[in-house]
Structure formats: structure tokens, C-alpha cells
Amino acid sequence: MNNFVDAIRETTFLVVDDVSAMRGATRSALRHIGADHVLTAPNGAEALKLLKSQPINIVLSDWNMPVMSGIELLAEIRSDPDLYPIPFIMTTAEGYRDRIQRAIDAGVSEILITPYTMELLSERIRRALRWVPALINKAPAANSVAVTAAAGSASGERSTILIVDDTPDNLYLLSELLKDEYRVRVAPDGAKALKICHSDNPPDLVLLDIMMPDMDGFEVAKRMREHPSSETIPVIFVSSMSSDAARAKGLELGAIDFIRKPIEPDVLKPRVRNFMRYVMLRRQLQADYDLMLETARLQEDVKQITRHDMKGPLAGIIGLVQSLAADKAMSGEHKEQLGVVEETVLGLLNMINLSTELFKIERESFRLDPKPVNIDDILRRLVPMYRAAFAVKRLSLRVSSNIARSAAMPQARGDAMLCYSMFQNLIKNACEAAPVDSVIDIKLYMQVQGPLRVVIENKGTVPAAIREHFFDKFVTYGKENGSGLGTYSARLLARAQEGNVDLFVSDDDNISRLTVTLPVMSKS
């Protein structure tokens, strides 16, 4: 616990909420658990300014805000290399699964369904401070035990009711009525009740008498609303006072119900049971979403481990192929075939490396580090590989350019791995679509001004049914076991490099033409 307290004191929090009272309440709650450095912002845009101007260790943000919402702020943080590692706790009162999944996909660290207890807030902060971004995580998350425990407590732990009354007979009666279904605590006066409510384990519901000496029920409720540990605890007033004025004052203090004395068990128990069912559902909802978040992290961990474990054997194959190709006794034809094998395995390695980049691109967190890329070299390396792969179709793959061979080949401004994978997908797609004994022309054009263009043209037309959605995800037609991801990922990769891929189809000429544009690397 001491280590956690020390960590909290050294942590700078940023609380983001458009409601001033909620910012104040969260700031008070953080200070109650030991935080010394708490900054606040009324929306995501102001929060982003603070994040870029000074060191901040953790963000607690509401979802719904004007100017920039919490999910938009999260996307901005995860897309910035400097801010990316900052833990982000999202708070929301709207427990829709698609909304939670959206936050998980955007890279949220923890999710809190409001209202939440001080204990739950502390636990989520504890876990967030241990959070490691999914894309750089190298081992299964350390939180799985905590999540399992949370889910178990949601389904198995009895809810706690605090009964506050200065009359011992009333305390006894209410306790006997409720003890079989709930964990019951009692307080004979307001001071004792507040001590319990302000503890690290506050009750889920308070049954509160109004007429008590020293401190009446209204004053107890008022002080509960002023303290971060108890401000969200629901209160049911149990009193002989039933005037409209008393009800109005109770509702103003956040009471959810009034039950008149003398107590009628057939009235009390169903009312308490109905509300406690709501408490349990909220608790279960939090546990369910914790499990969703943890499952998403574990899935990413498995992908990371799988990618890592695949790289070793593939690297071994490349080493073996290169060793065989270096043998002077190897014929030229065999060396050429080994070269195709090497290119194929290199392609697989690139795909493994690329999967992480595609994840970032889809979530708009990818940042291009542009370098010169020799597109002509990539095309001429890929053509022999696909000429061999589709040898049964007897395709003629031709690479040409409007650039003189004696001239220096212009370089694209992009990422070599992304370009390799992009053209790999597009050339493969053309080979699959082209009829037997046909020609696939791949032409590289350098323009006086403007981007580099690569035109890939094959006989056969893209079916009319999918032309409009040709670059959409999972769109395929007539391909057994086709994933519909090739052209989707190719356009995604082009646009990530500030380029594009377009489709042209001519039914009269029976051709399909894909045109890739990429910016040229400046010579300066």
C-alpha cells in the first residue's frame, strides 16, 4: 500500500470533464487517496494543450464533452508518439457494448462506469499505472487475476446496506428483515454513519432516519454529498415525516425513495430489492467491461507472441536458402528458383511486421517516417516471384517505365515495407484476375510535376457487382477462400504514405487498371 501511496503522490493527474462539479468531485476523490498534483480541463481540446505543454502521467476523462469528446481525445493521444504511453481511464454512464468496444479499439487503459466507489477508482488507478500500451506489450497482461477477481466479486459478494437510526428497536427490526439477503451494517447516529460512508469500503445503500438528535438525516445526507467517498451512495429515507416539504428536501439531497414509519416489511423489502438489483447489475456491467478490455489485451498479446515465434523459423529458412544459393555447384536455374523462395519468405516476414502497422493505420495512430523508396526495384523483385507462383496460368508479367535506364531512378517518399506489401497485394490480385495466357503490364511513370504513378493493367474486368466497393474491407467475388483484404489494405497503405490507389474498368476493352500514386522524395 505504501508503494501505491508514494506513486500516487508523485503522479500528475489530468481530469477532463465539461461539468465543473464533476471535475471538482474527481479532483477531491484523487486528493482523498493521496494525489498532490491534479490538473483539470473542461474538454478534450484544452486537455490536449495541457498534455503538450507539461508532463502528465495519467488521464481521467469523461466520454461526452463539447469541442472534443473523450474518445476523440483518446484517439489524439494514441496517435502522438510522445503522448502514446500515457494511461487513459475513460469514465462513462452509458454502458453500451459497442461504445466500450470502441474505447478498447482506440487504446483505452481502463474503463469506469459511473457512479463508482472510491475503492474502485483506487483500484483502476493502480492498474492504469501498471498499464503497458498493447502495441509494445511483450507479455500477457498482469491484470488478468485482478479482472477475474472483480468479475467474481460482482457475481458472488453480497451488497452492503447501512441502516442509520437512533432507536435500537428500529435498527434491530430493519437488520432482521434484510440480513438474509444483504450484508447489514448499523449506525446509531449521524457521526457513526458518516465514518462508515467515508471509509474505504462504503455501503451500497443507506437507509437513513430523518429525526435524530445532534445530526438529523438531512444533515447526514448533505455531508455525504460533500465527500468523494459517499457522494454517489444512494439514500432511502425511512421516517415518520411524510410532508411534501420533507420529500422535496430529501430529493434535493439525492434521496431515491421515502419509506414511512411504522415500517411495513412487504413494502420495504421489494423496494430495497429492486434497487439493489440495479446496484448488482451496474457492478456486473463493470466486471463485464473489465473482462472485455482484458480479453482484447490478451488477444493482442497472443498476436504479438505468435508474430515473434514465426519470425525465427522464417529467418532460418532465409539463411538456409542464401547458403544454398552461394554454392558454386548450384545451377543458374536452381539459383533463380531459390531467389523466388527467398522473396516469398521475405514477403511473409514483411506481412508479419506489417500487421502491427496496419493495426495502427486502421486506428489512425500511425505516423509515417518517410524515406526514399526505389519503386522500380520493388516491382522487379516481385515480378519473378509471381511469375513463378502463377506459372500454371502462363502469364506474362512485364515491367516498363518512361524513365531512361541511364537516368537516375526517382525515389518515392514513403516506407519501403509498406510499399512492398502494397504492390505485393496488387500484383497478386491482378494475377488472380487475369485469364490464362494473358499479359499483365506494370508501368512506372515519372511526371514533370506531381507524384510517381504505377499502373497495373490486366485483361478481364472487375465484376460490376463489386466495382463500387472494390476497396472496401472483406469485399470479394468468385474467389474461393478469398479474404477481401488485398485491395483494402493496399489503398490503406497508399493513403498512409499520402498516396492513393484508384480503379478503372473498361468493358469495351476488357481490361482492369489499378493506378497507384505516391509522392516523390524531394532532392533537397
Side-chain angles (χ1 to χ4, degrees):
M1 174 62 78
N2 288 337
N3 290 337
F4 176 63
V5 172
D6 291 341
I8 289 291
R9 286 175 180 159
E10 296 172 2
T11 298
T12 299
F13 292 85
L14 174 58
V15 176
V16 192
D17 200 302
D18 62 314
V19 179
S20 176
M22 289 303 299
R23 292 198 303 273
T26 306
R27 180 172 52 199
S28 297
L30 290 171
R31 287 178 173 168
H32 180 74
I33 62 175
D36 290 332
H37 311 289
V38 182
L39 304 174
T40 63
N43 57 61
E46 293 299 318
L48 204 56
K49 290 179 183 178
L50 286 172
L51 285 160
K52 292 182 176 181
S53 67
Q54 58 189 293
I56 290 170
N57 306 114
I58 188 168
V59 176
L60 289 87
S61 175
D62 186 33
W63 186 302
N64 294 320
M65 293 181 292
V67 186
M68 181 187 287
S69 68
I71 194 69
E72 291 169 336
L73 173 61
L74 175 58
E76 289 288 337
I77 290 173
R78 294 293 179 253
S79 66
D80 188 315
D82 295 328
L83 304 179
Y84 183 84
I86 296 176
F88 192 107
I89 300 177
M90 183 76 78
T91 63
T92 178
E94 299 177 23
Y96 299 114
R97 281 186 171 271
D98 58 345
R99 169 172 285 223
I100 301 304
Q101 189 60 54
R102 186 180 172 195
I104 291 171
D105 291 342
V108 75
S109 310
E110 294 292 338
I111 297 168
L112 266 175
I113 306 297
T114 57
Y116 48 80
T117 65
M118 187 75 69
E119 182 182 18
L120 190 59
L121 175 64
S122 297
E123 177 58 27
R124 291 304 178 269
I125 290 172
R126 187 191 303 271
R127 283 168 41 173
L129 290 174
R130 297 198 302 262
W131 176 79
V132 178
L135 291 178
I136 59 173
N137 204 359
K138 300 302 181 185
N143 297 345
S144 54
V145 174
V147 170
T148 304
S153 66
S155 59
E157 182 181 323
R158 294 201 297 177
S159 298
T160 300
I161 295 177
L162 172 63
I163 303 168
V164 188
D165 201 303
D166 63 317
T167 304
D169 288 345
N170 289 336
L171 290 177
Y172 177 77
L173 173 60
L174 289 169
S175 298
E176 287 297 306
L177 286 173
L178 300 172
K179 70 177 184 180
D180 291 338
E181 295 184 58
Y182 312 104
R183 181 170 176 257
V184 177
R185 302 185 70 179
V186 297
D189 54 57
K192 177 67 173 176
L194 288 174
K195 184 176 181 180
I196 294 172
C197 289
H198 296 168
S199 69
D200 291 335
N201 295 293
D204 297 298
L205 175 67
V206 175
L207 299 182
L208 180 59
D209 185 27
I210 294 178
M211 299 177 66
M212 296 186 295
D214 299 327
M215 187 188 303
D216 65 18
F218 291 137
E219 181 64 21
V220 173
K222 180 176 178 292
R223 295 193 186 184
M224 285 176 62
R225 297 297 170 249
E226 294 171 348
H227 195 282
S229 291
S230 59
E231 64 179 347
T232 61
I233 299 174
V235 172
I236 295 177
F237 281 116
V238 182
S239 176
S240 57
M241 295 178 64
S242 58
S243 67
D244 290 342
R247 285 179 173 274
K249 187 170 183 180
L251 290 172
E252 187 179 339
L253 292 168
I256 60 168
D257 203 352
F258 273 80
I259 297 177
R260 289 188 62 182
K261 291 180 179 179
I263 296 164
E264 298 179 35
D266 292 341
V267 173
L268 173 73
K269 294 181 74 172
R271 289 189 180 181
V272 170
R273 188 179 297 120
N274 287 338
F275 186 77
M276 294 312 292
R277 187 179 294 116
Y278 166 78
V279 170
M280 291 305 294
L281 285 173
R282 297 293 291 185
R283 188 179 294 172
Q284 185 62 52
L285 192 66
Q286 179 71 61
D288 287 347
Y289 292 154
D290 287 346
L291 193 58
M292 283 178 64
L293 182 60
E294 186 62 20
T295 299
R297 288 177 180 165
L298 289 174
Q299 286 174 343
E300 182 57 32
D301 290 334
V302 170
K303 290 177 185 177
Q304 292 278 5
I305 293 168
T306 302
R307 286 193 288 261
H308 178 270
D309 290 349
M310 287 175 65
K311 286 182 180 180
L314 290 174
I317 293 172
I318 291 174
L320 179 60
V321 167
Q322 291 174 341
S323 177
L324 289 171
D327 188 343
K328 294 180 179 179
M330 188 72 64
S331 69
E333 181 182 355
H334 286 158
K335 285 186 178 183
E336 183 178 345
Q337 291 173 343
L338 286 171
V340 171
V341 173
E342 182 181 1
E343 284 294 328
T344 304
V345 178
L346 281 171
L348 287 172
L349 273 174
N350 276 332
M351 288 173 64
I352 292 168
N353 292 327
L354 184 67
S355 60
T356 297
E357 301 307 316
L358 275 173
F359 181 88
K360 294 179 184 178
I361 293 168
E362 285 190 308
R363 284 150 185 80
E364 300 180 358
S365 62
F366 175 78
R367 286 293 178 268
L368 179 68
D369 180 18
K371 297 286 192 302
V373 181
N374 190 329
I375 301 299
D376 183 70
D377 178 65
I378 289 175
L379 296 175
R380 294 182 186 281
R381 285 167 60 197
L382 285 171
V383 162
M385 183 171 72
Y386 282 108
R387 189 181 288 133
F390 288 88
V392 68
K393 295 182 72 173
R394 300 181 299 279
L395 299 175
S396 176
L397 279 76
R398 304 187 303 207
V399 180
S400 60
S401 171
N402 71 339
I403 304 164
R405 300 307 300 173
S406 59
M409 192 60 63
Q411 309 287 291
R413 180 181 182 274
D415 181 286
M417 184 182 72
L418 301 190
C419 288
Y420 188 95
S421 182
M422 175 179 62
F423 285 112
Q424 190 179 43
N425 282 325
L426 295 177
I427 294 173
K428 179 185 177 185
N429 183 79
C431 290
E432 289 174 338
V436 173
D437 292 321
S438 64
V439 175
I440 297 175
D441 274 318
I442 305 169
K443 300 176 182 178
L444 173 62
Y445 294 95
M446 178 61 191
Q447 304 172 105
V448 177
Q449 289 185 334
L452 279 174
R453 284 195 305 128
V454 176
V455 178
I456 303 171
E457 182 177 296
N458 61 272
K459 288 293 182 180
T461 59
V462 174
I466 65 168
R467 288 177 193 176
E468 188 177 347
H469 303 285
F470 185 66
F471 294 103
D472 290 354
K473 200 171 188 178
F474 306 126
V475 172
T476 186
Y477 187 96
K479 291 183 184 178
E480 187 176 353
N481 300 321
S483 67
L485 293 173
T487 54
Y488 165 78
S489 65
R491 175 174 271 186
L492 206 64
L493 296 175
R495 289 179 172 177
Q497 300 174 87
E498 301 174 6
N500 205 0
V501 184
D502 293 302
L503 170 69
F504 170 80
V505 177
S506 173
D507 292 310
D508 292 338
D509 297 329
N510 189 32
I511 60 166
S512 295
R513 183 185 301 146
L514 287 165
T515 301
V516 180
T517 56
L518 290 168
V520 178
M521 194 73 186
S522 173
K523 294 181 181 180
S524 59

